Every structure is written in structure tokens, then in C-alpha cells.
Amino acid sequence: MKVCVVGQGGREHAFASALARTADVVVTPGNPGIDGSTSAAPDEIDADLYVIGPEGPLADGLADRLRASGRLVFGPGADGAALESSKAWMKEVVSAAGVPTAAYAAFDGDPAGRRAAHAYLETLPPPYVVKTSGLAAGKGVLVTDELAEAHADVDAKLDGTAFGDAGRRIVIEEGMRGPEVSLFALCDGRRAVLLPTAVRDHKRIGDGDTGPNTGGMGCVSPLADVDRAACVELAALAFEPTLTELIRRGVDYRGVLYAGFMLTPDGPRLLEFNVRFGDPEAQVTLPRVENDLAQLLAGAAAGELIDEVVVSDDAMVCVVCAAEGYPAAPRTGDVIAGLERAREVPGVTVFCAGVGAGDGRETPSESLVTGGGRVLNVCGRGPDVSVARDRAYDAVRQLSWPGMTYRNDIAAAEAAAAAALRR
Ligand code: AMP
Ligand code: GLY
């Protein structure tokens, strides 16, 4: 089978390497760190299956266009992708489906909408949560205990100054507290089949969950506090009811559904749906899928998903190495040193996310430069989270470029929890 992966980050690198176990893989546009990258457009590539990584092309209808020309596509059409590209619509769908989620209201930037948004904020206790309805690369959510900051954020979003058109419609939600967990299910239009393993992302830029939200600074799977049975319970709360509601609305959803939950004192609540694998969550999940991934995704795309996805019990921890200035203004063009040494650490895989090609003056092993905010995804695998974590950080310490940053506490709490459980 020939598979065309669409996208250019670490998630697509993880897709490409897991698919390459059984298929021929090309990646468009890919990046200089991913084998099989090509600048050809997806519709110029003749493949048996197209796997679309990021939300942007899905929301733009790439899956619809490819299907219209007779291709087999893993990824929802623009109608289903609106679960992510319109948080207002997502909240409407999941509320109709009876999925437990935070109370909310949606507002537009006209004078009446703006007044109503400010008035709604006044009715809520902290923490205050203000979200762009549209896509904002994981950065469109403000969570704050300061009411004044929330009011200012409402204006900055509705004005279009903070996130352009993505923010001209906003969702304000009841603020919740608790640990977060992400789950993934493959869908074939009729059924959702869970990947039975829980993943936890670390979204803030700084150690101890400080500073602004990012696309994700690292993640870990599985989790001691969300075992396989808990995964199955969470899945039953969210995936099946939502798929049923989508079918009722005429949406033929074929692709992955990514559910983010908060485990609140009042029970689990759905935070968000994404219409793609998480990045970097995919990097700790796809390598552990034991099925033939190409066959599995082709089955979902064809409406004939198999009954069970098998995921290894091994643990994986991903540490994102980011460029100086991320997330506000990452600096690019710095030569990446130590990639080969990092890859020699046992149990380690390094996926290339925001990398560019050097100018040829570097040694072959240092031919990549920083080319985006999240540059490399350093993944350690092992029999448990602490081994996986130690391996990942051993490899991180082999890497360097001017201004390289990373969190020191990825999976620290999860490793401690797993160790406590063993005692
Ligand atoms: P989202 O993209 O909607 O998942 O939001 C990004 C992050 O903001 C989540 O991972 C949470 O950490 C936080 N968040 C979102 N919604 C809420 C909420 N209602 N209450 C508290 N935190 C939230
Ligand atoms: N890591 C969070 C996301 O992919 O949305």
C-alpha cells in the first residue's frame, strides 16, 4: 500500500514512521527531517490512502476534495472538522449529544454581543475561560483568575486584534479545575473504536504549568490515574454519543476524534474535541499501536473499521525542544547539534517538527536548523513511565542550539504516581 501523509510536523513524522512498518510512505510537504518528504501537492500524488495530519487542511475541505476525486481518505470533511474549527458548534453538538461539558455561551463582536459577553463574565465565578471559536493553533484559550484580564481578553479577541477572524466569535465557559486527560478514537462514519490508552499533554510553556499555553510542550502515556477501564468509561461518555449526533446531522465522520477531558471533583467533563491526532500526543501513541496502522486507517477511511485497536503497555514520554521565543516569536535558523547522539540513546526516537535545511556549511550530522517553534520531539520508551522519562531526558541533554528551551518536569508527576502505585 502507498500512503500519502499530509502535514509537516512531528505528528506527521510519527505517522510516517509508524506507517512505514508496512507501507510505502510519502509526506507532503513534510520537512527536511522526514524521509519521503515531497513538495508535490496531495492531489498530484498517486496513493492508495491519504492521511491528513493537521486541522487546517481538514477545516479547508481537503478531505472532501480528495474524496470527490475518488481517493480513500483518513480525515473528516469540512463538516465534521467544524468540531474543532468552530468551538461554538462543537459545544452545541456535544450538548445535544448529552456529553458532560462546561456550561457556556457564544458571542459575536457586534455591540450587543460584546455587551452580552461582558455581562456573562460577571455572572461566573473564577477561573474565567475565554476561547476563540475559530482555530488558533492551541493558543486561543485564556484561563485566568483575574476578572479584569478576562474582560480585556474578550475585547482583544472580538476586535480581531488577538487572533484575527478566529477570535471574532468567542466561547466563554464555566471554569473547571482538575487534571486533564486525552483519548483518541478512530471513526469510520458509523462506529468509534478507542485507542485504549490515556495521554496527558503539558500545554503551558513553563515548568510547574506556568506561562502561556502552547501547542504542547510534552506528553506521557499511559497514565497511572486513568487506567484502561477508566479509558473505556470516558470513551462511552463522549465518543459514541457524539458520533450518533453527527450521524443525525448527516455528518459522515471518518478519521480520528481526539477528546480532551478534565477530571473535575464533579466527574469528568469534555473540554474539547479535535478532529486529528494531538501533536505531540501522536508521538507517544502511534509508535505503540500494534495493529498494521496502514490497514487500520484504510479500514476507517473505507467505512470498515476493525473491532479492536491494540496498544502496547509500554510507556512513552515526549519532551518538546522548542526554539527561543516560542510561543510568541520563535527564532529560526539556528544549527541543531547532537541529533545523532540523541538518537543513539537506547529506547529513544526523535521526531522532527519545526526544522529547516541548513545552508550546507554544517557537518552532515548537523545539517538541520530550527525552522519553527516546536523543533524536535524527543520520545523515550520503556517498561514504565520513569524509565521512558529518563531515556527522553538523557537524549534531550545530547541536543543543543542557541536558545533551545524545554520543560524539565514533563511526566514528573506521572512517573511519581506510577512509582507510588508499584510500592
Ligand atoms: P481547549 O483547547 O478548549 O482544550 O483549551 C485549552 C486548555 O485550556 C485546556 O487544555 C485546559 O487546560 C484549559 N481549559 C479549557 N477549557 C477550560 C475550562 N472550561 N475550565 C478550565 N480550564 C479550561
Ligand atoms: N497537543 C495539543 C493538541 O494537539 O491540540
Side-chain angles (χ1 to χ4, degrees), residues 19-392:
L19 287 163
R21 295 196 296 248
T22 57
D24 294 329
V25 181
V26 291
V27 186
T28 170
N31 71 48
I34 307 179
D35 287 344
S37 291
T38 167
S39 58
D43 61 355
E44 297 163 359
I45 295 167
D46 188 21
D48 304 300
L49 172 68
Y50 297 77
V51 175
I52 302 174
E55 62 277 17
L58 291 165
D60 275 352
L62 177 61
D64 300 306
R65 290 193 295 279
L66 288 169
R67 284 193 183 102
S69 65
R71 327 279 180 111
L72 189 62
V73 185
F74 181 80
D79 56 356
L83 277 182
E84 181 167 357
S85 62
S86 168
K87 280 194 193 281
W89 189 69
M90 180 278 281
K91 293 293 283 190
E92 181 194 317
V93 169
V94 303
S95 303
V99 179
T101 187
Y104 79 105
F107 305 94
D108 291 309
D110 58 283
R114 191 178 290 248
R115 275 195 303 278
H118 288 293
Y120 185 65
L121 264 184
E122 293 289 337
T123 68
L124 299 172
Y128 307 101
V129 181
V130 182
K131 303 183 174 185
T132 62
S133 181
L135 295 176
K139 294 158 205 157
V141 177
L142 175 79
V143 182
T144 178
D145 285 329
E146 304 302 326
L147 185 57
E149 193 186 357
H151 279 301
D153 191 60
V154 164
D155 286 328
K157 282 178 175 148
L158 289 178
D159 283 343
T161 48
F163 292 97
D165 287 343
R168 291 187 199 276
R169 186 167 175 74
I170 58 170
V171 168
I172 298 178
E173 286 186 15
E174 165 198 9
M176 306 180 295
R177 300 189 200 267
E180 293 180 39
V181 55
S182 299
L183 291 180
F184 299 92
L186 305 181
C187 304
D188 69 356
R190 295 170 298 133
R191 289 189 316 138
V193 177
L194 176 68
L195 271 62
T197 191
V199 190
R200 181 161 293 139
D201 188 17
H202 294 64
K203 284 204 173 77
R204 302 279 185 151
I205 185 76
D207 285 359
D209 290 330
T210 53
N213 264 323
T214 70
M217 291 302 292
C219 59
V220 49
S221 180
L223 303 177
D225 58 321
V226 189
D227 62 14
R228 212 169 268 250
C231 289
V232 171
E233 279 178 31
L234 287 170
L237 275 181
F239 293 120
E240 281 127 56
T242 299
L243 206 59
T244 305
E245 179 64 22
L246 288 175
I247 292 166
R248 205 182 64 75
R249 292 170 185 243
V251 178
D252 184 7
Y253 193 101
R254 301 183 188 202
V256 65
L257 261 180
Y258 157 157
F261 296 91
M262 190 170 267
L263 308 177
T264 79
D266 302 321
R269 298 282 183 275
L270 183 81
L271 284 172
E272 62 170 341
F273 270 129
N274 295 316
V275 298
R276 45 160 181 98
F277 266 102
D279 185 350
E281 291 89 332
Q283 288 85 312
V284 299
T285 310
L286 294 175
R288 295 158 54 225
V289 171
E290 293 188 342
N291 310 65
D292 178 329
L293 188 66
Q295 292 292 344
L296 188 62
L297 302 185
E304 296 158 1
L305 197 52
I306 59 169
D307 290 335
E308 196 187 5
V309 181
V310 181
V311 178
S312 159
D313 286 332
D314 280 359
M316 282 187 79
V317 170
C318 173
V319 179
V320 172
C321 295
E324 181 166 309
Y326 180 72
R331 188 177 75 205
T332 60
D334 290 307
V335 174
I336 298 170
L339 186 51
E340 285 184 0
R341 280 197 309 282
R343 285 185 162 144
E344 281 164 10
V345 176
V348 164
T349 309
V350 182
F351 295 115
C352 292
V355 302
D359 60 12
R361 278 178 294 177
E362 304 81 9
T363 60
S365 66
E366 296 182 352
S367 60
L368 294 175
V369 299
T370 61
R374 296 187 293 171
V375 178
L376 297 176
N377 308 141
V378 182
C379 300
R381 179 171 177 156
D384 62 41
V385 172
S386 30
V387 174
R389 177 172 195 274
D390 289 346
R391 290 177 171 167

